Amino acid sequence: MKITKQRFGMLSDGTKVSLYTVQNKRMSFSVTDYGCTITSIVLTDSEGKCTDVALGYSTLDGYINGNCFFGAFIGRFANRIGKASFTIDGTKYQLDKNDGTNTLHGGFTGWDKKVWHAKAVSTKTQSGMKFTYLSRDGDQGFPGSMKAEVTYLLDDRNNLTCRYTAVTDKATPVNFTNHSYFNLAGGGTIENHLLKLNCESTLDIDAKLIPNGKMLSVKDTPFDFTSEKRIGKDIKLVGNGYDHCYVTAAYKPEDPHCGAPLTDSGLVRIAEVTEPSSGRCMTVDSNMEGMQLYTANWIGGIQGKNGRIYEKHGAVCLETQCFPNSPNMSDFPSCILQPGEKYKAVTVYGFNF
């Protein structure tokens, strides 16, 4: 396993930003300390051909100025919080309204726009990067000082493991995810990708994509991927594309901490994606009870890496997380992390090519 470091650029205040590449014999991923952002995932086939299966930008400026969250780590709270507010122990907290009247991915200045402390790490079977960040009390409107840790690890079996931990000194919501956009063909749309989800329900949402507390069976609907199906088969039947939270097999309503997991055990298989023409496959395993399926509905016309213009539905995001708006939904698993507890979330992206 090999880890290399190079300069990626500099912020306007003079802060240096680095890019790290972790490589085994068949694949590599690159990640920057700016937002713990995964900038590339490169797979090398048996003939030596390399294919980058992750969307992103070629330069730091792209990530600074972009708003698509390509490859970014999302915190403090991934996805949406309705009406940009929540109440804990009788105290109401007001957040940024950066998605209409709601909060999306933490607000106007999310953790994807912060420079994290980086350190190379290795175990007997994995190598990668660990990033740490201290979010002060009141950051983004959230209570409590939170210490967060993000670790991306690669092994020789072509598994990319994402581990997230956090501790806090005040009760506060927590919901972390990685927002990588995947295209296993390396170009075009993902409408011909085959997708299987081990998820029998989705969260019912309103017109602003905020869950209302109900869970809907996917059976006999366009949302049913319990058997392998082309992503594009029913995509026109769901409006602009998929942007919905699926309920995974990790959902255990009897466990009050399943929304803010205190253990990284209990991984379940959530998704399997196959690109038929190349035969490349990706699996997703996690201990999170939710997964946002997003089919890149709003990236059409954006210039990405190497000058390439991305197409609408040019990628698929599989964002493992707790349920959106869970700070305001008493029937959802609690996402509230208490002082003395440690949040532990893990997701594994496995590649077969």
Side-chain angles (χ1 to χ4, degrees), residues 247-259 265-268 287 289 323 333:
V247 181
T248 79
Y251 172 59
K252 297 178 176 61
E254 71 279 3
D255 180 0
H257 285 291
C258 115
S265 63
L267 269 65
V268 298
N287 66 340
E289 79 271 16
F323 293 159

Side-chain angles (χ1 to χ4, degrees), residues 73-78 81 86 88 111 142-143 146-148 164-168 170-177 257-262 288-289 321-323 326-327 333-338 341-345:
F73 173 75
I74 306 297
R76 284 190 187 189
F77 198 91
I81 295 179
F86 60 89
I88 297 180
W111 286 0
F142 290 90
M146 177 179 285
K147 295 180 180 178
Y164 314 130
T165 65
V167 294
T168 180
K170 289 183 183 179
T172 190
V174 57
N175 185 24
F176 297 162
T177 196
H257 285 291
C258 115
L262 306 182
M288 299 307 297
E289 79 271 16
Q321 56 190 257
C322 76
F323 293 159
S326 52
S334 175
C335 66
I336 306 301
L337 184 68
Q338 300 287 345
E341 298 178 338
K342 189 173 187 178
Y343 172 87
K344 296 181 179 180

Side-chain angles (χ1 to χ4, degrees), residues 21 36 102 116 205 212 246-247 251 259 278 280 286 315 335 341:
T21 299
C36 305
N102 307 312
W116 293 55
I205 53 178
N212 59 22
Y246 281 73
V247 181
Y251 172 59
S278 65
R280 299 185 190 102
S286 182
C335 66
E341 298 178 338

Side-chain angles (χ1 to χ4, degrees), residues 74-142:
I74 306 297
R76 284 190 187 189
F77 198 91
N79 215 313
R80 295 169 173 85
I81 295 179
K83 298 182 180 179
S85 66
F86 60 89
T87 299
I88 297 180
D89 298 330
T91 300
K92 183 177 181 178
Y93 296 92
Q94 190 64 52
L95 311 175
D96 292 339
K97 294 181 179 179
N98 67 322
D99 183 50
T101 59
N102 307 312
T103 297
L104 175 65
H105 295 333
F108 288 115
T109 306
W111 286 0
D112 61 303
K113 303 297 185 185
K114 305 292 185 180
V115 177
W116 293 55
H117 178 267
K119 179 183 179 181
V121 292
S122 294
T123 69
K124 290 182 179 180
T125 59
Q126 300 172 307
S127 292
M129 297 299 303
K130 177 186 290 185
F131 301 95
T132 53
Y133 180 70
L134 175 60
S135 174
R136 301 291 184 182
D137 185 21
D139 181 21
Q140 303 172 318
F142 290 90

Side-chain angles (χ1 to χ4, degrees), residues 40-350:
S40 69
I41 300 174
V42 178
L43 311 181
T44 306
D45 66 19
S46 58
E47 298 178 354
K49 179 183 178 182
C50 297
T51 303
D52 189 348
V53 298
L55 274 59
Y57 301 105
S58 296
T59 65
L60 175 61
D61 285 345
Y63 293 99
I64 292 173
N65 298 315
N67 60 4
C68 292
F69 305 99
F70 288 133
F73 173 75
I74 306 297
R76 284 190 187 189
F77 198 91
N79 215 313
R80 295 169 173 85
I81 295 179
K83 298 182 180 179
S85 66
F86 60 89
T87 299
I88 297 180
D89 298 330
T91 300
K92 183 177 181 178
Y93 296 92
Q94 190 64 52
L95 311 175
D96 292 339
K97 294 181 179 179
N98 67 322
D99 183 50
T101 59
N102 307 312
T103 297
L104 175 65
H105 295 333
F108 288 115
T109 306
W111 286 0
D112 61 303
K113 303 297 185 185
K114 305 292 185 180
V115 177
W116 293 55
H117 178 267
K119 179 183 179 181
V121 292
S122 294
T123 69
K124 290 182 179 180
T125 59
Q126 300 172 307
S127 292
M129 297 299 303
K130 177 186 290 185
F131 301 95
T132 53
Y133 180 70
L134 175 60
S135 174
R136 301 291 184 182
D137 185 21
D139 181 21
Q140 303 172 318
F142 290 90
S145 292
M146 177 179 285
K147 295 180 180 178
E149 184 176 284
V150 176
T151 306
Y152 299 130
L153 295 167
L154 181 65
D155 64 26
D156 285 329
R157 296 177 298 167
N158 303 318
N159 294 314
L160 174 55
T161 299
C162 308
R163 294 185 179 276
Y164 314 130
T165 65
V167 294
T168 180
D169 61 5
K170 289 183 183 179
T172 190
V174 57
N175 185 24
F176 297 162
T177 196
N178 178 271
H179 207 304
S180 286
Y181 287 66
F182 299 101
N183 184 317
L184 298 182
T189 76
I190 45 77
E191 293 188 14
N192 284 328
H193 282 44
L194 303 176
L195 175 64
K196 180 181 179 183
L197 299 179
N198 297 319
C199 305
E200 297 182 352
S201 303
T202 60
L203 300 183
D204 192 18
I205 53 178
D206 64 20
K208 297 181 179 179
L209 306 183
I210 302 299
N212 59 22
K214 298 178 181 178
M215 296 183 187
L216 303 178
S217 171
V218 300
K219 187 176 181 180
D220 299 324
T221 76
F223 300 97
D224 191 351
F225 288 94
T226 53
S227 296
E228 188 178 68
K229 181 178 72 174
R230 280 197 320 111
I231 294 176
K233 182 177 185 296
D234 297 321
I235 201 167
K236 293 182 179 179
L237 301 178
V238 296
N240 198 46
Y242 294 96
D243 194 1
H244 299 78
C245 187
Y246 281 73
V247 181
T248 79
Y251 172 59
K252 297 178 176 61
E254 71 279 3
D255 180 0
H257 285 291
C258 115
L262 306 182
T263 173
D264 58 6
S265 63
L267 269 65
V268 298
R269 175 62 50 87
I270 297 176
E272 301 172 24
V273 187
T274 302
E275 199 286 298
S277 63
S278 65
R280 299 185 190 102
C281 301
M282 183 180 77
T283 57
V284 183
D285 298 83
S286 182
N287 66 340
M288 299 307 297
E289 79 271 16
M291 187 209 70
Q292 190 81 5
L293 172 64
Y294 174 57
T295 48
N297 307 325
W298 303 103
I299 68 167
I302 292 176
Q303 183 172 318
K305 282 181 276 191
N306 304 313
R308 182 176 140 207
I309 304 300
Y310 293 138
E311 302 177 49
K312 178 181 179 179
H313 303 155
V316 60
C317 301
L318 303 164
E319 306 160 56
T320 55
Q321 56 190 257
C322 76
F323 293 159
N325 199 37
S326 52
N328 294 313
M329 306 298 295
S330 59
D331 291 337
F332 284 174
S334 175
C335 66
I336 306 301
L337 184 68
Q338 300 287 345
E341 298 178 338
K342 189 173 187 178
Y343 172 87
K344 296 181 179 180
V346 59
T347 296
V348 181
Y349 297 102

